[in-house]
Amino acid sequence: EGLLSKQKRSRRMKANDRERNRMHHLNSALDALRSVLPTFPDDAKLTKIETLRFAHNYIWALTQSLRLA
């Protein structure tokens, strides 16, 4: 039973580490996306969902500009 408990704890620690790394990569990608979106310097940092929505709308607006040109 002690060995099973250690195995479970080890698996849980590995899963936590993978999730931590996944979130780190996601946050890095969102920071990179924020850096290329046009915002005012004094604006507060956009949330994750705000960043994605803004990027979507910005890409849509750029696409419409190209279609009209």
XYZ file of all heavy atoms in Angstrom:
569
model
N 0.824 -1.195 0.000
C 0.000 0.000 0.000
C 0.867 1.258 0.000
O 0.531 2.252 -0.641
C -0.934 -0.002 1.204
C -1.936 1.142 1.165
C -2.945 1.030 2.268
O -3.663 0.010 2.320
O -3.005 1.963 3.069
N 1.993 1.224 0.690
C 2.904 2.358 0.716
C 3.500 2.620 -0.651
O 3.658 3.768 -1.063
N 3.805 1.558 -1.382
C 4.356 1.702 -2.732
C 3.314 2.288 -3.671
O 3.619 3.166 -4.482
C 4.833 0.337 -3.250
C 5.451 0.317 -4.649
C 6.691 1.215 -4.676
C 5.803 -1.090 -5.060
N 2.069 1.838 -3.557
C 0.982 2.357 -4.385
C 0.772 3.844 -4.112
O 0.577 4.636 -5.038
C -0.304 1.569 -4.116
C -1.508 1.929 -4.978
C -1.190 1.681 -6.449
C -2.718 1.121 -4.550
N 0.847 4.217 -2.854
C 0.686 5.622 -2.472
C 1.809 6.472 -3.073
O 1.563 7.580 -3.567
C 0.680 5.745 -0.949
O 0.608 7.093 -0.565
N 3.024 5.976 -3.036
C 4.160 6.702 -3.614
C 4.012 6.836 -5.125
O 4.315 7.875 -5.701
C 5.484 6.001 -3.281
C 5.942 6.212 -1.877
C 7.287 5.551 -1.639
C 7.734 5.758 -0.214
N 9.056 5.177 0.044
N 3.521 5.781 -5.776
C 3.309 5.831 -7.223
C 2.243 6.857 -7.582
O 2.390 7.620 -8.535
C 2.917 4.455 -7.753
C 4.051 3.468 -7.778
C 3.589 2.081 -8.215
O 2.408 1.743 -8.108
N 4.532 1.281 -8.683
N 1.150 6.875 -6.815
C 0.086 7.842 -7.062
C 0.600 9.269 -6.873
O 0.296 10.159 -7.661
C -1.104 7.600 -6.128
C -1.958 6.423 -6.497
C -3.139 6.298 -5.544
C -4.023 5.124 -5.907
N -5.167 5.004 -4.994
N 1.360 9.462 -5.803
C 1.913 10.791 -5.533
C 2.874 11.205 -6.649
O 2.851 12.350 -7.103
C 2.629 10.778 -4.189
C 2.913 12.136 -3.624
C 3.408 12.081 -2.199
N 3.008 10.828 -1.570
C 3.709 10.179 -0.643
N 4.831 10.674 -0.199
N 3.304 9.052 -0.135
N 3.676 10.264 -7.125
C 4.617 10.555 -8.203
C 3.876 10.918 -9.495
O 4.236 11.877 -10.178
C 5.526 9.352 -8.438
O 6.367 9.568 -9.544
N 2.838 10.144 -9.817
C 2.040 10.450 -11.014
C 1.373 11.813 -10.899
O 1.311 12.574 -11.855
C 0.995 9.357 -11.251
C 1.562 8.105 -11.879
C 0.466 7.221 -12.444
N -0.535 6.846 -11.470
C -0.547 5.698 -10.794
N 0.392 4.796 -10.989
N -1.506 5.443 -9.929
N 0.853 12.127 -9.714
C 0.185 13.410 -9.497
C 1.185 14.555 -9.645
O 0.889 15.578 -10.252
C -0.458 13.415 -8.102
C -1.084 14.684 -7.639
C -2.178 15.329 -8.464
N -2.903 14.579 -9.419
C -3.295 15.043 -10.628
N -3.002 16.257 -11.018
N -3.977 14.291 -11.443
N 2.400 14.385 -9.107
C 3.430 15.428 -9.223
C 3.828 15.640 -10.682
O 3.996 16.779 -11.128
C 4.653 15.072 -8.367
C 4.402 15.217 -6.881
S 5.791 14.687 -5.862
C 7.036 15.842 -6.355
N 3.940 14.552 -11.443
C 4.267 14.663 -12.865
C 3.149 15.355 -13.630
O 3.395 16.192 -14.503
C 4.553 13.287 -13.460
C 5.881 12.703 -13.016
C 6.089 11.311 -13.587
C 7.377 10.699 -13.070
N 7.567 9.324 -13.552
N 1.893 15.006 -13.305
C 0.752 15.641 -13.967
C 0.708 17.127 -13.632
O 0.441 17.962 -14.509
C -0.550 14.966 -13.542
N 0.976 17.471 -12.378
C 1.011 18.879 -11.981
C 2.112 19.630 -12.729
O 1.920 20.765 -13.163
C 1.228 19.013 -10.475
C 0.011 18.621 -9.678
O -1.087 18.473 -10.216
N 0.201 18.428 -8.377
N 3.251 18.982 -12.888
C 4.368 19.602 -13.598
C 4.019 19.829 -15.068
O 4.305 20.893 -15.627
C 5.612 18.723 -13.476
C 6.859 19.417 -13.963
O 7.067 20.602 -13.611
O 7.631 18.781 -14.708
N 3.367 18.845 -15.697
C 2.951 19.014 -17.093
C 1.956 20.160 -17.237
O 2.040 20.966 -18.155
C 2.327 17.712 -17.625
C 3.323 16.632 -17.957
C 2.679 15.496 -18.738
N 1.526 14.922 -18.061
C 1.587 13.923 -17.172
N 2.741 13.391 -16.848
N 0.472 13.459 -16.615
N 1.007 20.238 -16.311
C 0.011 21.310 -16.358
C 0.655 22.680 -16.136
O 0.314 23.659 -16.794
C -1.071 21.060 -15.308
C -2.135 22.128 -15.240
C -2.980 22.275 -16.499
O -2.878 21.421 -17.412
O -3.745 23.253 -16.584
N 1.594 22.744 -15.210
C 2.313 23.995 -14.963
C 3.069 24.432 -16.217
O 3.022 25.602 -16.607
C 3.269 23.790 -13.786
C 3.657 25.019 -13.055
C 4.429 24.772 -11.760
N 4.977 23.445 -11.527
C 4.417 22.505 -10.765
N 3.269 22.732 -10.167
N 4.997 21.341 -10.605
N 3.730 23.501 -16.884
C 4.454 23.810 -18.122
C 3.494 24.221 -19.237
O 3.773 25.154 -19.993
C 5.295 22.615 -18.570
C 6.528 22.439 -17.731
O 7.063 23.405 -17.188
N 6.984 21.214 -17.595
N 2.361 23.544 -19.319
C 1.371 23.885 -20.333
C 0.877 25.312 -20.142
O 0.795 26.096 -21.097
C 0.195 22.906 -20.268
C -0.829 23.071 -21.377
C -2.044 22.181 -21.145
N -2.872 22.653 -20.071
C -3.766 23.651 -20.178
N -3.935 24.256 -21.328
N -4.485 24.020 -19.141
N 0.562 25.671 -18.911
C 0.087 27.030 -18.627
C 1.189 28.061 -18.851
O 0.918 29.170 -19.329
C -0.447 27.128 -17.191
C -1.751 26.391 -16.981
S -3.068 26.883 -18.131
C -3.234 28.611 -17.777
N 2.416 27.700 -18.546
C 3.535 28.608 -18.798
C 3.651 28.901 -20.292
O 3.799 30.058 -20.701
C 4.838 28.003 -18.268
C 6.045 28.800 -18.582
N 6.338 29.993 -17.959
C 7.038 28.602 -19.477
C 7.450 30.485 -18.462
N 7.898 29.660 -19.384
N 3.550 27.865 -21.112
C 3.632 28.053 -22.560
C 2.434 28.841 -23.097
O 2.584 29.694 -23.974
C 3.747 26.704 -23.270
C 5.090 26.082 -23.116
N 5.352 25.099 -22.203
C 6.259 26.332 -23.749
C 6.623 24.767 -22.275
N 7.205 25.497 -23.202
N 1.257 28.557 -22.572
C 0.064 29.293 -22.989
C 0.200 30.777 -22.636
O -0.080 31.655 -23.461
C -1.186 28.705 -22.331
C -2.494 29.440 -22.606
C -2.823 29.436 -24.092
C -3.621 28.832 -21.801
N 0.639 31.067 -21.423
C 0.809 32.457 -21.011
C 1.883 33.167 -21.827
O 1.727 34.346 -22.171
C 1.121 32.541 -19.515
C -0.078 32.202 -18.667
O -1.218 32.403 -19.069
N 0.170 31.668 -17.478
N 2.951 32.463 -22.167
C 3.992 33.052 -23.015
C 3.438 33.378 -24.399
O 3.720 34.439 -24.962
C 5.185 32.105 -23.148
O 5.816 31.936 -21.911
N 2.634 32.469 -24.934
C 2.041 32.705 -26.252
C 1.070 33.889 -26.214
O 1.055 34.717 -27.132
C 1.309 31.443 -26.730
N 0.299 33.996 -25.161
C -0.626 35.121 -25.035
C 0.130 36.445 -24.872
O -0.282 37.468 -25.416
C -1.591 34.900 -23.873
C -2.696 33.883 -24.155
C -3.384 33.460 -22.856
C -3.699 34.436 -25.141
N 1.235 36.424 -24.145
C 2.060 37.631 -24.009
C 2.624 38.051 -25.367
O 2.643 39.242 -25.699
C 3.204 37.409 -23.022
C 2.738 37.414 -21.577
O 1.657 37.978 -21.291
O 3.460 36.855 -20.732
N 3.053 37.069 -26.160
C 3.568 37.381 -27.496
C 2.458 37.956 -28.369
O 2.678 38.911 -29.129
C 4.163 36.121 -28.135
N 1.261 37.409 -28.268
C 0.122 37.917 -29.023
C -0.216 39.339 -28.589
O -0.435 40.216 -29.425
C -1.085 36.999 -28.841
C -2.370 37.385 -29.577
C -2.131 37.497 -31.083
C -3.461 36.364 -29.270
N -0.228 39.579 -27.283
C -0.504 40.931 -26.775
C 0.503 41.942 -27.312
O 0.161 43.100 -27.552
C -0.460 40.950 -25.248
C -1.671 40.395 -24.579
C -1.569 40.534 -23.051
N -2.553 39.687 -22.409
C -2.272 38.533 -21.814
N -1.026 38.094 -21.752
N -3.233 37.823 -21.269
N 1.741 41.508 -27.485
C 2.797 42.434 -27.911
C 2.614 42.909 -29.355
O 3.153 43.949 -29.719
C 4.175 41.803 -27.743
O 4.403 40.817 -28.721
N 1.879 42.174 -30.174
C 1.681 42.588 -31.564
C 0.315 43.213 -31.816
O 0.056 43.703 -32.906
C 1.902 41.413 -32.557
C 3.331 40.911 -32.480
C 0.910 40.294 -32.321
N -0.552 43.204 -30.809
C -1.855 43.842 -30.960
C -1.729 45.337 -30.679
O -1.003 45.727 -29.768
C -2.881 43.214 -30.011
C -3.259 41.773 -30.310
C -4.165 41.236 -29.201
C -3.943 41.657 -31.658
N -2.433 46.157 -31.456
C -2.350 47.602 -31.227
C -3.138 48.007 -29.977
O -4.351 47.840 -29.912
C -2.987 48.197 -32.486
C -3.937 47.148 -32.942
C -3.312 45.831 -32.572
N -2.418 48.475 -28.972
C -3.064 48.971 -27.761
C -2.345 50.226 -27.305
O -1.215 50.500 -27.721
C -3.015 47.939 -26.613
O -1.655 47.634 -26.328
C -3.770 46.671 -26.953
N -2.976 50.969 -26.468
C -2.328 52.135 -25.888
C -1.437 51.680 -24.747
O -1.804 50.771 -24.003
C -3.371 53.131 -25.383
C -4.223 53.686 -26.491
C -5.528 53.272 -26.669
C -3.693 54.619 -27.373
C -6.302 53.774 -27.691
C -4.462 55.130 -28.403
C -5.772 54.715 -28.562
N -0.276 52.324 -24.586
C 0.661 51.871 -23.542
C 0.086 51.931 -22.130
O 0.455 51.155 -21.285
C 1.838 52.831 -23.667
C 1.625 53.619 -24.894
C 0.225 53.418 -25.362
N -0.841 52.871 -21.890
C -1.369 52.990 -20.532
C -2.542 52.051 -20.268
O -3.081 52.034 -19.173
C -1.776 54.429 -20.237
C -2.803 54.966 -21.239
O -2.997 54.327 -22.288
O -3.387 56.019 -20.965
N -2.936 51.261 -21.277
C -4.015 50.296 -21.071
C -3.561 49.203 -20.117
O -2.404 48.805 -20.103
C -4.435 49.643 -22.387
C -5.326 50.535 -23.227
O -5.728 51.597 -22.726
O -5.602 50.167 -24.378
N -4.505 48.713 -19.340
C -4.201 47.587 -18.463
C -3.987 46.335 -19.316
O -4.470 46.251 -20.443
C -5.353 47.363 -17.487
N -3.265 45.384 -18.781
C -3.023 44.132 -19.492
C -4.354 43.435 -19.768
O -5.187 43.298 -18.872
C -2.122 43.245 -18.633
C -1.784 41.914 -19.248
C -0.855 41.148 -18.321
C -0.727 39.716 -18.757
N 0.111 38.941 -17.848
N -4.542 43.024 -21.001
C -5.778 42.336 -21.373
C -5.813 40.950 -20.737
O -4.785 40.289 -20.605
C -5.856 42.195 -22.896
C -5.913 43.477 -23.716
C -5.800 43.155 -25.203
C -7.188 44.242 -23.436
N -7.013 40.514 -20.392
C -7.157 39.148 -19.888
C -6.960 38.173 -21.050
O -6.896 38.581 -22.218
C -8.554 38.924 -19.268
O -9.526 39.049 -20.311
C -8.826 39.909 -18.149
N -6.922 36.904 -20.739
C -6.731 35.894 -21.786
C -7.861 35.951 -22.802
O -7.611 35.981 -24.009
C -6.648 34.497 -21.162
C -5.405 34.303 -20.331
C -5.430 32.972 -19.605
C -4.230 32.865 -18.693
N -4.226 31.639 -17.913
N -9.099 35.967 -22.323
C -10.240 35.976 -23.247
C -10.304 37.300 -23.999
O -10.627 37.319 -25.194
C -11.575 35.655 -22.512
C -12.692 35.408 -23.515
C -11.950 36.740 -21.534
C -12.533 34.166 -24.344
N -9.995 38.407 -23.341
C -9.983 39.704 -24.028
C -8.924 39.721 -25.129
O -9.168 40.253 -26.214
C -9.714 40.843 -23.036
C -10.858 41.136 -22.101
C -10.476 42.098 -20.984
O -9.272 42.245 -20.686
O -11.398 42.691 -20.405
N -7.769 39.129 -24.851
C -6.698 39.065 -25.845
C -7.153 38.281 -27.064
O -6.962 38.707 -28.208
C -5.438 38.420 -25.236
O -5.016 39.196 -24.120
C -4.317 38.320 -26.249
N -7.773 37.124 -26.848
C -8.225 36.292 -27.963
C -9.329 36.980 -28.762
O -9.319 36.970 -29.995
C -8.701 34.938 -27.453
C -7.599 34.043 -26.872
C -8.212 32.798 -26.238
C -6.587 33.679 -27.926
N -10.267 37.603 -28.063
C -11.346 38.304 -28.768
C -10.817 39.490 -29.557
O -11.233 39.729 -30.702
C -12.407 38.776 -27.768
C -13.257 37.648 -27.252
C -14.305 38.143 -26.286
N -15.151 37.040 -25.848
C -15.707 36.975 -24.659
N -15.538 37.941 -23.784
N -16.463 35.939 -24.351
N -9.900 40.241 -28.954
C -9.325 41.397 -29.634
C -8.545 40.946 -30.871
O -8.657 41.538 -31.942
C -8.440 42.181 -28.668
C -7.895 43.462 -29.221
C -8.546 44.174 -30.211
C -6.712 43.978 -28.730
C -8.037 45.369 -30.709
C -6.190 45.172 -29.223
C -6.857 45.857 -30.212
N -7.760 39.881 -30.735
C -6.993 39.365 -31.869
C -7.938 38.921 -32.986
O -7.696 39.217 -34.159
C -6.104 38.208 -31.426
N -8.994 38.243 -32.632
C -9.976 37.799 -33.623
C -10.568 39.001 -34.367
O -10.623 39.022 -35.602
C -11.073 36.994 -32.937
C -12.187 36.625 -33.848
N -13.307 37.406 -34.007
C -12.358 35.563 -34.671
C -14.116 36.846 -34.882
N -13.563 35.726 -35.297
N -10.998 39.996 -33.620
C -11.608 41.182 -34.230
C -10.601 41.971 -35.060
O -10.941 42.498 -36.125
C -12.235 42.074 -33.161
C -13.445 41.428 -32.526
O -14.091 40.576 -33.129
N -13.742 41.803 -31.303
N -9.379 42.039 -34.594
C -8.328 42.764 -35.314
C -8.025 42.076 -36.647
O -7.917 42.725 -37.697
C -7.084 42.851 -34.438
C -5.959 43.655 -35.020
C -6.141 44.976 -35.415
C -4.694 43.101 -35.168
C -5.098 45.728 -35.944
C -3.645 43.846 -35.689
C -3.854 45.150 -36.072
O -2.821 45.887 -36.600
N -7.913 40.758 -36.618
C -7.666 39.997 -37.851
C -8.836 40.168 -38.813
O -8.654 40.344 -40.019
C -7.406 38.509 -37.531
C -6.074 38.363 -36.802
C -7.432 37.656 -38.793
C -5.850 37.002 -36.171
N -10.062 40.126 -38.276
C -11.245 40.336 -39.120
C -11.209 41.720 -39.770
O -11.464 41.859 -40.971
C -12.517 40.174 -38.290
C -13.756 40.410 -39.083
C -14.414 39.513 -39.871
C -14.461 41.641 -39.207
N -15.501 40.116 -40.465
C -15.550 41.424 -40.074
C -14.289 42.912 -38.658
C -16.454 42.423 -40.405
C -15.187 43.907 -38.983
C -16.257 43.663 -39.847
N -10.876 42.756 -38.988
C -10.825 44.121 -39.517
C -9.737 44.255 -40.585
O -9.946 44.905 -41.618
C -10.575 45.120 -38.384
N -8.584 43.646 -40.362
C -7.512 43.684 -41.366
C -7.942 42.971 -42.647
O -7.660 43.444 -43.754
C -6.233 43.048 -40.811
C -5.520 43.813 -39.703
C -4.377 42.979 -39.162
C -5.027 45.168 -40.200
N -8.629 41.860 -42.502
C -9.125 41.113 -43.656
C -10.115 41.961 -44.462
O -10.058 42.005 -45.693
C -9.795 39.805 -43.198
O -8.849 39.041 -42.454
C -10.277 38.988 -44.377
N -11.019 42.659 -43.758
C -11.985 43.516 -44.435
C -11.279 44.660 -45.168
O -11.672 45.024 -46.280
C -13.000 44.081 -43.426
C -13.891 43.023 -42.803
C -14.676 42.237 -43.845
O -15.273 42.795 -44.752
N -14.629 40.918 -43.740
N -10.242 45.208 -44.559
C -9.478 46.286 -45.215
C -8.852 45.803 -46.515
O -8.870 46.509 -47.517
C -8.353 46.788 -44.317
O -8.802 47.144 -43.069
N -8.309 44.588 -46.471
C -7.681 44.030 -47.663
C -8.721 43.763 -48.762
O -8.457 43.960 -49.943
C -6.921 42.753 -47.335
C -5.635 42.940 -46.534
C -5.076 41.572 -46.118
C -4.617 43.731 -47.324
N -9.890 43.306 -48.364
C -10.939 43.041 -49.349
C -11.397 44.305 -50.032
O -11.726 44.300 -51.219
C -12.128 42.364 -48.672
C -11.892 40.914 -48.384
C -13.146 40.236 -47.901
N -12.822 38.879 -47.508
C -13.472 38.201 -46.601
N -14.489 38.734 -45.965
N -13.110 36.973 -46.306
N -11.447 45.404 -49.293
C -11.911 46.659 -49.844
C -10.848 47.359 -50.683
O -11.172 48.197 -51.513
C -12.376 47.598 -48.725
C -13.620 47.133 -47.977
C -13.894 48.045 -46.785
C -14.822 47.070 -48.901
N -9.606 47.005 -50.450
C -8.500 47.680 -51.168
C -8.345 47.172 -52.588
O -8.788 46.186 -53.001
C -7.200 47.481 -50.401
